[in-house]
Amino acid sequence: MNEQRRQILEMLAEGKITADEAERLITALERSQPEPPPAGATGPKTRPRYLRVLVTWVDDTVGGEPGRINVRVPLQLLRAGVRLATLVPPQALTRANDALSRSGVPIDLTQLKPQDLEELVEHLEEVDIDLDEPSSTVKVFCE
């Protein structure tokens, strides 16, 4: 643990700052850290923090203009959502499953477990997405 992070945690423990303030400080501290080493570099594997979906394409209907979608979702948000789902009464989950199924989303929320999310994150490195449009690309990964 670096010295700055330790100081933030000490201020939190002493009641000088709130948990929200500590979280904001740690997030700002992490953003100011240098970029991680390139892929293939040796060292301990860090826990992914974000799920990223990048989509690029060339739109032939607009004169070949490139398009780009870049979605970055904090994995902590997904982890918290999975943990919160365990607090929902089974009857509500059954009703939600029925509504999802009617909408064409066959997910069983009663079977959603935190360890399942971690396993999904570990396997995202193996995701391949095939597209019919040669000028389009989709990348899904954790960082």
Side-chain angles (χ1 to χ4, degrees), residues 2 11 34 42 52 63 76:
N2 68 30
M11 289 190 300
T42 59
R52 188 141 217 190
Q76 195 59 33

Side-chain angles (χ1 to χ4, degrees), residues 8 72 111 113 137:
I8 293 170
R72 187 174 168 202
Q111 299 301 314
K113 306 285 185 260
T137 62

Side-chain angles (χ1 to χ4, degrees), residues 32-76:
S32 69
Q33 299 284 327
E35 289 294 316
T42 59
K45 187 173 181 180
T46 60
R47 186 174 183 189
R49 297 179 45 130
Y50 297 96
L51 171 68
R52 188 141 217 190
V53 179
L54 297 172
V55 182
T56 58
W57 69 91
V58 175
D59 192 348
D60 294 329
T61 62
V62 190
E65 290 290 321
R68 183 171 184 244
I69 298 173
N70 182 2
V71 179
R72 187 174 168 202
V73 180
L75 285 172
Q76 195 59 33

